[in-house]
């Protein structure tokens, strides 16, 4: 799957389910329940035993129905292994520039983790496609608004402590994707993976509906009906028009990774958001 197509599916669904399974054998059933509920972004964390093998099987059997990604990536080597296994997006809890570089070089979606405004800007400048605001457990939607006020070119997704009962709050604040930890959803339901996945899929199906409705209600909508979120002001060479030297540095990082500015340029036309 091309990067542009994968990002569009994630943005259109608006929800990524984070799976921390007890074994790779559980991934198929979990993913099927989620996809049936309309969740098209499936993030398999590296804390799952034999995660790489699980990602490969999941991508082979369900890659045409959803976007399979990897989470909890901390080094470039594991990043490359996951991508070669079929991961379409790479999520990290922290900022590791080498992981961003490898992800972009291999043509996949880079989602590094960052917390402070400085870390978030550094991740964006290094070439992140979306920055994971983590941990977001103690943060409210206002934090995203405060970040985007001086830096509207950013694309953010908060992770951790997100209330599945009020997902539009994060979207209204500027998040491009609602990142839902499946364990948190099941915990809120008082359930476990065994027997509880179907119910969690139903909960997230409602989340998808709410998020999609709220995305469509945003004021910034492109001519093709797709959302123009943070980061939409990017020229044909991948340089953000807002941010001055930041945009130039980001463009240089993207070019050094060997990917070029095609993906970012597409966003400028409203193709993905």
């Amino acid at each position: 799957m091309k990067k542009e197509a994968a990002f569009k599916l994630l943005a259109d669904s608006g929800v990524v389910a984070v799976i921390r399974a007890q074994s790779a054998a559980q991934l198929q059933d979990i993913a099927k329940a989620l996809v049936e509920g309309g969740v098209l972004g499936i993030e398999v964390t590296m804390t799952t035993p034999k995660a790489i093998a699980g990602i490969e099987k999941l991508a082979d059997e369900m890659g045409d129905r959803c976007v399979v990604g990897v989470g909890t990536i901390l080094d470039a080597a594991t990043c490359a292994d996951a991508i070669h296994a079929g991961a379409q997006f790479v999520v990290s809890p922290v900022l590791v520039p080498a992981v961003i570089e490898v992800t972009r070089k291999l043509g996949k979606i880079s989602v590094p983790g960052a917390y402070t405004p400085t870390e978030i800007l550094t991740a964006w400048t290094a070439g992140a496609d979306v920055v994971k605001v983590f941990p977001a457990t103690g943060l409210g939607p206002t934090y995203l608004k405060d970040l985007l006020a001086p830096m509207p070119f950013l694309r953010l997704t908060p992770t951790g402590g997100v209330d599945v009962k009020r997902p539009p709050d994060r979207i209204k604040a500027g998040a491009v994707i609602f990142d839902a930890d499946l364990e948190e959803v099941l915990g809120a339901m008082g359930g476990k993976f065994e027997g509880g996945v179907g119910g969690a899929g139903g909960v997230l199906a409602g989340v998808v509906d709410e998020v999609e409705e709220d995305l469509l209600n945003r004021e910034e909508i492109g001519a093709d009906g797709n959302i123009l979120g943070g980061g939409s002001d990017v020229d044909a060479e991948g340089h953000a028009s807002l941010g001055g030297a930041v945009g130039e540095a980001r463009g240089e990082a993207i070019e050094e990774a060997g990917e070029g500015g095609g993906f970012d340029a597409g966003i400028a036309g409203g193709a993905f958001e």
Side-chain angles (χ1 to χ4, degrees):
M1 183 182 296
K2 290 186 177 181
K3 181 175 181 177
E4 293 86 347
F7 197 99
K8 187 177 189 305
L9 282 175
L10 293 179
D12 286 350
S13 170
V15 176
V16 171
V18 181
I19 302 175
R20 307 178 194 281
Q22 297 173 2
S23 72
Q26 295 178 313
L27 294 176
Q28 296 294 111
D29 289 340
I30 294 173
K32 287 179 181 177
L34 292 169
V35 171
E36 287 174 2
V39 179
L40 302 182
I42 307 295
E43 177 187 331
V44 180
T45 69
M46 286 303 300
T47 56
T48 300
K50 299 182 180 179
I52 297 296
I55 288 170
E56 184 172 18
K57 183 176 181 181
L58 197 60
D60 286 343
E61 298 186 9
M62 296 189 64
D64 60 337
R65 300 175 58 193
C66 62
V67 183
V68 179
V70 62
T72 324
I73 291 292
L74 300 174
D75 63 88
T78 305
C79 172
D81 288 344
I83 290 174
H84 291 313
Q88 300 296 323
F89 61 93
V90 176
V91 182
S92 301
V94 293
L95 170 58
V96 183
V99 170
I100 297 177
E101 182 178 358
V102 169
T103 303
R104 296 208 67 128
K105 187 172 293 184
L106 294 178
K108 304 304 177 183
I109 300 167
S110 173
V111 189
Y115 186 79
T116 68
T118 298
E119 291 174 341
I120 291 169
L121 181 60
T122 300
W124 180 260
T125 303
D129 295 302
V130 178
V131 180
K132 168 181 174 175
V133 181
F134 177 81
T137 304
L139 302 174
T142 302
Y143 187 64
L144 297 185
K145 289 184 178 180
D146 290 344
L147 288 169
L148 291 170
M151 299 182 288
F153 46 84
L154 297 174
R155 292 194 295 273
L156 307 173
T157 177
T159 303
V162 179
D163 187 354
V164 296
K165 296 179 181 179
R166 303 183 65 185
D169 288 353
R170 303 287 176 146
I171 299 299
K172 289 176 182 177
V176 296
I177 298 171
F178 180 74
D179 209 11
D181 189 314
L182 192 56
E183 283 189 347
E184 289 186 4
V185 177
L186 290 168
M189 296 168 56
K192 300 179 180 178
F193 275 121
E194 291 77 14
V197 176
V203 171
L204 290 181
V207 171
V208 170
D209 291 341
E210 289 190 60
V211 169
E212 288 179 342
E213 181 179 356
D214 202 70
L215 283 172
L216 291 175
N217 287 334
R218 275 189 182 174
E219 294 181 359
E220 295 183 324
I221 301 179
D224 57 358
N226 289 310
I227 304 301
L228 298 175
S232 59
D233 288 334
V234 182
D235 64 22
E237 296 180 351
H239 302 165
S241 61
L242 293 174
V246 173
E248 293 297 328
R250 174 178 166 80
E252 290 174 4
I254 292 172
E255 290 169 5
E256 288 178 6
E259 184 185 47
F263 177 68
D264 277 0
I267 291 175
F272 314 121
E273 297 177 296

